[in-house]
Every structure is written in C-alpha cells, then in structure tokens.
Amino acid sequence: MPHTTISLDEWLETPLGQHLLARESAYFDTVVADIFGFNAVQIGHPELDLLRNCRIPKRYRVGYDGTVALRADMELLPFASQSMDLVVIPHTLEFAAHPHQVLREAERILMPEGHLIVSGFNPRSLWGATRWLKQREDEFPWCGRFITLPRLKDWLSLLSFETEGGRMCCYTPPFSQARWLQRFAFMEAAGDRWWAMGGGVYFIKAVKRVQGMRLITPKWREPAVKSAALTPAARNVVNLNQYRKLKHPNE
C-alpha cells in the first residue's frame, strides 16, 4: 500500500509530533532564558519559534521557506563573522546536505564565548530503530540522516567548541497513536535514570572558545595626590633661650 509524503508541518500536528514539540519547547524555553547578548539566530525549521523565551533583543529565524526573518542558504549565512551571541540549530543537521558546513557557519558567525544549542534525533534509540525499520525517504522525521552524539561532539571539538551541558528526552517509543504514548509516558521519567543515553532526541549546549583570548578589565589606581587634610603639618621647634630673646630683646 503506497504511503503519503508527510512534511514537517503535517508531522508536528500528529500525536507523536506534539509529543516531541512539547518536550523540545520546554527545554529551549529554559536554556535560552539564561543567555544574554545582542543577537540570536535560529537556523532551520522556522515554524518552530524556539527563541520565544530568549531575552536577547534581536532574534532571527533563518530557513529556505515558511515564516522566516531571512530566506538564506544555511550553509552560507548572510551574517557578519562574530556577530551572534546565540545560535540555535534544531533538527537541521539531519536534513542538511552538508551538516558539517552548517556547523562551520555557526562557528563563523558566533562571537568568542558565544553559545550554540543543537538538537538532533538519536540513532541509538527506539526512534533510531524505527527509522531503520521504516526506511522511508519521503516522510519526516524518518527521511533524515540521524547523527550519533559522539560524532557530533567530535565535530564540535574540531571547531573549537566546548560542550557545556545537554540532556535527552523522548524515551517513549515513537507510537503514532496518543493512547499508546500516554501508556508509556512513565518511560520519560525513568529514562534519565535507567537509560540515560537512549532518548530519541538529544540536546547539546556548547560554547565557542578562542585560544589566547582574555578579558580586558579596567585598571583601577589609587590617586597619586593624597588629600591635604591627611598630610601632617611641619612643626617648628624653638628652644627656650631663643624664645626669651624674642620676648625681651633689650635684656
């Protein structure tokens, strides 16, 4: 029986898509709220506003189509080098022709000590097994090329990123029906404890490090001239004989 092509927008309306979206939104809402700066950009999937809780004043969503602030090639971003304080890449690398180049562009536009947050589907999970069994090349999310977490960490390390934190979610098997997702909801709470690396989705938060960079702070000095009120006055010592001569000059 032939199956129908499912886009990202359509898939997000399914019970499984809503299950994923609720957990991803909760993670991004929490993490981006603690990052400050002037400019932030979300690369890919602009229909997901994952910067909505960010306090950075200027926020952009870049993609090929949809509701975007800028239509652009994600492998050749039209931003100046070292112009962004935060870059978010949600499930973009799995569907990019050259995922490593997308990361290179993220590194280029990030300022030193800027933050990068990446989310991706974990091939070493029940979700990854489902993708392998279905092998559908025209249905989201199974049409993506899932990237293992160690491989992604290696790419980030080569680009001078330092991993600061991360977590996983979606331990529940990727059922298409809501009632089965509810029955296995207990796995979300148990997953972090008993199967920490088996979540269907992973998040990585990294910082761009620049070798030899140091912060320049103001050099505080004490005033060179001290207050006159604190300077002891010179004392003139006059002996007794000199005092008598000054008082009785005719003697």
Side-chain angles (χ1 to χ4, degrees), residues 191-248:
D192 284 333
R193 182 176 181 181
W194 301 109
W195 196 20
M197 300 303 293
V201 173
Y202 57 72
F203 305 97
I204 289 184
K205 180 183 177 185
V207 178
K208 176 182 175 180
R209 301 298 188 193
V210 177
Q211 297 295 330
M213 189 196 75
R214 67 170 184 171
L215 297 177
I216 300 176
T217 57
K219 187 175 182 180
W220 301 102
R221 287 185 176 181
E222 295 183 358
V225 180
K226 296 183 178 180
S227 173
L230 300 178
T231 304
R235 298 177 60 185
N236 294 325
V237 181
V238 182
N239 61 33
L240 184 59
N241 292 331
Q242 290 176 332
Y243 174 76
R244 287 177 178 175
K245 288 181 179 180
L246 290 173
K247 189 174 182 181
H248 305 285

Side-chain angles (χ1 to χ4, degrees), residues 9-243:
D9 290 338
E10 294 171 331
W11 184 77
L12 288 175
E13 295 297 325
T14 66
L16 183 58
Q18 291 293 303
H19 177 80
L20 169 70
L21 185 58
R23 281 149 185 81
E24 289 218 8
S25 298
Y27 175 83
F28 279 102
D29 285 348
T30 301
V31 175
V32 301
D34 296 329
I35 300 175
F36 300 92
F38 298 97
N39 297 284
V41 61
Q42 175 181 321
I43 302 176
H45 303 308
E47 58 278 351
L48 307 176
D49 187 4
L50 301 176
L51 294 174
R52 63 186 182 184
N53 207 37
C54 183
R55 303 181 188 183
I56 295 177
K58 294 184 179 180
R59 302 184 295 271
Y60 309 94
R61 280 182 281 171
V62 177
Y64 296 118
D65 50 21
T67 305
V68 295
L70 185 65
R71 297 180 188 273
D73 186 347
M74 291 177 288
E75 297 177 9
L76 191 63
L77 297 171
F79 294 111
S81 299
Q82 300 186 6
S83 61
M84 294 291 160
D85 299 282
L86 169 64
V87 174
V88 171
I89 306 180
H91 297 292
T92 301
L93 302 180
E94 302 102 310
F95 306 98
H98 303 95
H100 196 268
Q101 178 59 29
V102 176
L103 286 178
R104 284 182 181 274
E105 279 294 276
E107 187 276 335
R108 180 185 66 81
I109 66 175
L110 264 177
M111 296 183 64
E113 304 301 312
H115 290 82
L116 172 70
I117 305 176
V118 181
S119 66
F121 292 106
N122 181 16
R124 298 174 181 175
S125 67
L126 295 175
W127 288 59
T130 301
R131 173 187 174 274
W132 183 79
L133 291 172
K134 289 190 174 184
Q135 294 184 347
R136 294 182 178 178
E137 298 181 355
D138 57 354
E139 181 179 326
F140 190 90
W142 318 118
C143 59
R145 293 177 296 176
F146 294 3
I147 301 170
T148 64
L149 188 56
R151 185 181 184 188
L152 179 57
K153 287 184 176 180
D154 286 342
W155 288 355
L156 293 175
S157 178
L158 290 173
L159 293 172
S160 300
F161 281 101
E162 180 180 327
T163 302
E164 225 183 28
R167 61 158 301 176
M168 288 195 173
C169 71
C170 295
Y171 295 93
T172 305
F175 295 116
S176 58
Q177 298 181 2
R179 62 188 181 94
W180 286 104
L181 290 171
Q182 294 173 358
R183 287 185 180 182
F184 284 82
F186 69 91
M187 294 182 66
E188 293 296 335
D192 284 333
R193 182 176 181 181
W194 301 109
W195 196 20
M197 300 303 293
V201 173
Y202 57 72
F203 305 97
I204 289 184
K205 180 183 177 185
V207 178
K208 176 182 175 180
R209 301 298 188 193
V210 177
Q211 297 295 330
M213 189 196 75
R214 67 170 184 171
L215 297 177
I216 300 176
T217 57
K219 187 175 182 180
W220 301 102
R221 287 185 176 181
E222 295 183 358
V225 180
K226 296 183 178 180
S227 173
L230 300 178
T231 304
R235 298 177 60 185
N236 294 325
V237 181
V238 182
N239 61 33
L240 184 59
N241 292 331
Q242 290 176 332
Y243 174 76

